[in-house]
């Protein structure tokens, strides 16, 4: 029996460790110079003007919603195929949520369904304030089409790009906010680049960046240029909004800054692994990920789809073979918490069909060729049973 192969795993080098140790030996474990340096580096790589680091992508999504004024009585729409944080962020703002079905090829938010739903909502006077398309597995949504549909009705856009740092759309980097107001990255350990835990919101609008910086740190500022009352001394600060403690520590940022140096190599290796899977499954009854011609995925995940009648058996066979496959994701509205809001099966047929067939295979830079061949062999065995 082969040793356990997870679906994702961080890649940490001695350089990463030394970068963290250097911060541990410095004067600032948090609120020091490394977080701004990491923000600047990510913004530069993503071609965005501003970046605001947070303690998680969830926190970044929350402050992004807050910056766009999401609040009680507002509506936010997102994809059903995502981690629950994408929609939970709207609930944290006391808004209501709804879901737009996915495209049957990419499993990202479908621009046609979105346009139809927006047109109907305009007639019903129920338009959302914000939509949150999600770049599932690292492949960008069709953002030009989504932007066109949203812009027609004055709806703002937050890209949940948690899976997609290092990816591109239209030959431009994901995160540049060309078709959105804000984009959010995740730096969880299984993501492309890790900070241990962490996230980042990017924008080209300075007022949105300033609001997010305020809201990640209790709504507090020391900036003399924006103080509302006369400064009373060097100790003086003001709480101007009800914010949260969503700051990223310099320890985490040091790890992320070091990892960012290897982003190109990470993506190159993930592309190689995806190509090897594609080739291996050519003659098997397995659906491999379709790639939009305008997008280059960062390959955070590699998701195959199998016969729904064999789905659970294949999944359990792989787990029994010490392969840590996973399923990304159950449609959010099928979660018990969301069912209690009144959501029911049948809302997004394409998303539900995907859920009945999808399996996430191991995908991480340190996956060896031998390990990948074990995965491929066990998939073949499971399919044949």
């Amino acid at each position: 029996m082969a040793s356990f192969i997870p679906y994702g795993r961080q890649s940490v080098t001695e350089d990463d460790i030394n970068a963290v140790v250097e911060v541990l030996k410095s004067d600032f474990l948090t609120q020091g110079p490394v977080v701004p340096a990491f923000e600047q580096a990510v913004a530069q790589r993503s071609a965005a003007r501003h970046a605001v680091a947070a303690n998680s992508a969830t926190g970044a999504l929350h402050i992004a919603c807050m910056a766009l004024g999401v609040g009680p009585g507002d509506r936010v729409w997102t994809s059903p195929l995502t981690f629950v944080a994408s929609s939970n962020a709207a609930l944290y703002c006391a808004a209501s949520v709804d879901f737009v079905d996915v495209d049957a090829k990419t499993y990202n938010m479908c621009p046609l369904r979105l346009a139809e739903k927006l047109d109907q909502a305009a007639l019903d006077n129920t338009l959302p304030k914000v939509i949150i398309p999600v770049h599932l597995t690292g492949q960008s949504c069709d953002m030009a089409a989504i932007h066109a549909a949203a812009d027609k009705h004055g709806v703002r856009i937050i890209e949940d790009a948690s899976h997609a740092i290092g990816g591109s759309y239209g030959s431009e980097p994901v995160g540049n906010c060309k078709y959105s107001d804000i984009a959010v990255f995740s730096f969880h350990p299984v993501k492309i680049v890790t900070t241990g835990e962490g996230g980042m919101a990017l924008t080209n609008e300075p007022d949105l960046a300033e609001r997010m910086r305020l809201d990640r740190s209790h709504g507090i500022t020391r900036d003399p240029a924006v103080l509302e009352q006369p400064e009373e001394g060097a100790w003086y600060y003001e709480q101007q909004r009800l914010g949260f403690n969503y700051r990223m520590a310099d320890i985490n940022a040091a790890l992320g800054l070091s990892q960012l140096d290897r982003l190109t190599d990470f993506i190159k290796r993930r592309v190689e692994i995806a190509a090897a899977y594609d080739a291996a499954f050519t003659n098997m009854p397995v659906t491999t990920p379709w790639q939009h011609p305008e997008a280059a995925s960062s390959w955070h995940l590699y998701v195959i789809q199998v016969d729904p009648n064999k789905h659970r058996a294949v999944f359990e066979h792989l787990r029994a073979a010490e392969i840590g496959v996973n399923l990304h994701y159950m449609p959010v509205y099928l979660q018990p918490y969301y069912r209690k809001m009144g959501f029911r099966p049948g809302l997004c047929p394409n998303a539900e069909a995907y859920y009945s067939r999808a399996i996430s295979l191991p995908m991480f830079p340190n996956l060896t060729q031998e390990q990948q061949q074990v995965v491929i062999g066990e998939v073949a065995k499971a399919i044949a049973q």
Side-chain angles (χ1 to χ4, degrees):
M1 182 73 68
S3 58
F4 183 76
I5 306 172
Y7 84 87
R9 176 183 284 159
Q10 68 274 13
S11 174
V12 175
T13 65
E14 284 299 316
D15 285 344
D16 295 336
I17 293 168
N18 291 336
V20 173
V21 170
E22 185 175 343
V23 170
L24 290 170
K25 292 178 177 179
S26 74
D27 293 332
F28 295 97
L29 301 188
T30 190
Q31 294 180 275
V34 184
V35 168
F38 183 43
E39 290 172 330
Q40 183 177 2
V42 173
Q44 185 174 357
R45 289 295 296 259
S46 306
R49 293 193 183 100
H50 306 278
V52 181
N55 65 342
S56 66
T58 303
L61 285 165
H62 187 188
I63 60 175
C65 285
M66 292 175 68
L68 292 176
V70 175
D74 291 327
R75 298 173 179 85
V76 174
W77 296 355
T78 188
S79 168
L81 295 182
T82 181
F83 186 57
V84 294
S86 306
S87 52
N88 285 354
L91 299 181
Y92 299 155
C93 297
S96 63
V97 297
D98 201 357
F99 301 90
V100 180
D101 204 1
V102 297
D103 174 78
K105 282 188 172 182
T106 64
Y107 302 102
N108 284 328
M109 182 182 284
C110 177
L112 295 177
R113 299 290 83 77
L114 174 65
E116 292 169 356
K117 195 175 177 83
L118 285 170
D119 287 345
Q120 186 60 52
L123 294 174
D124 298 338
N125 196 29
T126 57
L127 281 168
K129 176 171 277 189
V130 170
I131 59 169
I132 306 178
V134 179
H135 302 327
L136 186 68
T137 76
Q139 179 175 206
S140 175
C141 297
D142 187 351
M143 289 306 301
I146 286 174
H147 178 268
D151 191 56
K152 176 182 175 182
H153 297 285
V155 176
R156 309 295 288 272
I157 298 174
I158 298 171
E159 292 178 73
D160 187 340
S162 293
H163 294 183
I165 191 170
S168 64
Y169 174 75
S171 301
E172 297 181 82
V174 169
N176 69 353
C177 298
K178 181 176 181 179
Y179 298 108
S180 65
D181 298 280
I182 299 169
V184 170
F185 290 139
S186 171
F187 304 122
H188 183 273
V190 297
K191 299 301 194 301
I192 312 295
V193 165
T194 187
T195 59
E197 285 281 6
M200 192 169 293
L202 298 97
T203 184
N204 292 325
E205 300 181 39
D207 59 328
L208 294 180
E210 183 55 36
R211 280 181 232 163
M212 290 190 290
R213 290 190 186 101
L214 211 58
D215 287 335
R216 74 171 171 187
S217 189
H218 302 282
I220 286 173
T221 183
R222 295 179 181 272
D223 184 354
V226 298
L227 295 178
E228 296 180 7
Q229 303 293 331
E231 184 178 336
E232 297 177 7
W235 65 86
Y236 187 74
Y237 63 83
E238 291 181 350
Q239 181 185 343
Q240 297 180 341
R241 292 164 60 92
L242 182 60
F244 295 82
N245 185 1
Y246 285 165
R247 292 188 301 266
M248 177 183 284
D250 281 48
I251 298 169
N252 303 87
L255 176 57
L257 194 56
S258 179
Q259 292 244 315
L260 197 64
D261 286 339
R262 303 201 304 286
L263 177 59
T264 300
D265 292 337
F266 286 156
I267 300 300
K268 180 181 178 182
R269 178 63 186 136
R270 288 174 179 271
V271 169
E272 291 171 351
I273 293 168
Y277 276 140
D278 284 347
F281 296 135
T282 298
N283 296 317
M284 290 190 208
V286 169
T287 300
T288 54
W290 184 83
Q291 298 301 289
H292 194 288
E294 288 296 315
S297 180
S298 60
W299 292 106
H300 163 53
L301 298 171
Y302 187 94
V303 179
I304 61 169
Q305 295 177 69
V306 300
D307 183 339
N309 295 315
K310 292 187 174 184
H311 180 247
R312 183 162 183 169
V314 172
F315 189 96
E316 291 179 351
H317 173 98
L318 294 170
R319 281 284 181 95
E322 296 291 301
I323 298 169
V325 291
N326 214 326
L327 202 168
H328 301 88
Y329 298 90
M330 174 195 294
V332 173
Y333 60 83
L334 296 181
Q335 295 287 352
Y337 185 80
Y338 282 81
R339 286 178 184 251
K340 290 171 187 174
M341 298 179 194
F343 290 106
R344 293 291 180 266
L347 177 65
C348 297
N350 287 343
E352 292 176 32
Y354 165 94
Y355 175 56
S356 72
R357 304 189 301 253
I359 300 175
S360 298
L361 299 183
M363 168 59 83
F364 52 92
N366 292 341
L367 183 72
T368 67
Q369 290 183 352
E370 292 76 16
Q371 287 174 319
Q372 189 172 18
Q373 288 306 309
V374 169
V375 174
I376 292 165
E378 292 298 335
V379 170
K381 289 179 189 177
I383 293 292
Q385 291 177 354

